[in-house]
């Protein structure tokens, strides 16, 4: 009773023909999922934030708090 020899000839090509399309499809699904579940909400959040953002008001708030060394608060 002997074991049958495994078929080694063409094994890599056979496995690649099976696994390569699956890997490609899964990578496309992962890229699309990342785009629509991470990137798009992040872009929306930034757009919403900067729609009401006033840089001059923010600068004046930081100046009055004394954050900047080159600009003195208006009280001094």
């Amino acid at each position: 009773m002997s074991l049958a020899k495994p078929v080694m000839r063409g094994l890599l090509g056979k496995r690649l023909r099976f696994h390569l399309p699956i890997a490609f499809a899964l990578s496309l699904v992962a890229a699309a999922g990342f785009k629509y579940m991470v990137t798009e909400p992040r872009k929306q959040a930034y757009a919403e934030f900067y729609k009401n953002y006033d840089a001059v008001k923010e600068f004046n708030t930081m100046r009055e708090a004394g954050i900047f060394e080159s600009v003195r608060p208006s009280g001094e």
Side-chain angles (χ1 to χ4, degrees):
M1 197 176 270
S2 66
L3 294 173
K5 287 187 173 181
V7 178
M8 300 300 282
R9 186 174 303 274
L11 184 63
L12 177 63
K14 182 178 161 187
R15 290 183 60 86
L16 279 177
R17 274 192 299 278
F18 178 75
H19 287 104
L20 199 59
I22 293 172
F24 188 72
L26 287 177
S27 68
L28 286 178
V29 168
F34 186 82
K35 177 180 173 30
Y36 290 111
M37 298 180 85
V38 176
T39 308
E40 292 299 322
R42 187 177 293 171
K43 283 175 27 180
Q44 281 288 65
Y46 273 105
E48 185 66 31
F49 175 78
Y50 283 111
K51 187 170 24 174
N52 300 323
Y53 182 71
D54 186 12
V56 174
K57 179 182 169 190
E58 194 70 27
F59 169 75
N60 289 332
T61 305
M62 288 189 282
R63 182 180 68 187
E64 295 304 320
I67 292 177
F68 303 118
E69 292 180 6
S70 62
V71 180
R72 293 185 181 196
S74 62
E76 290 184 19

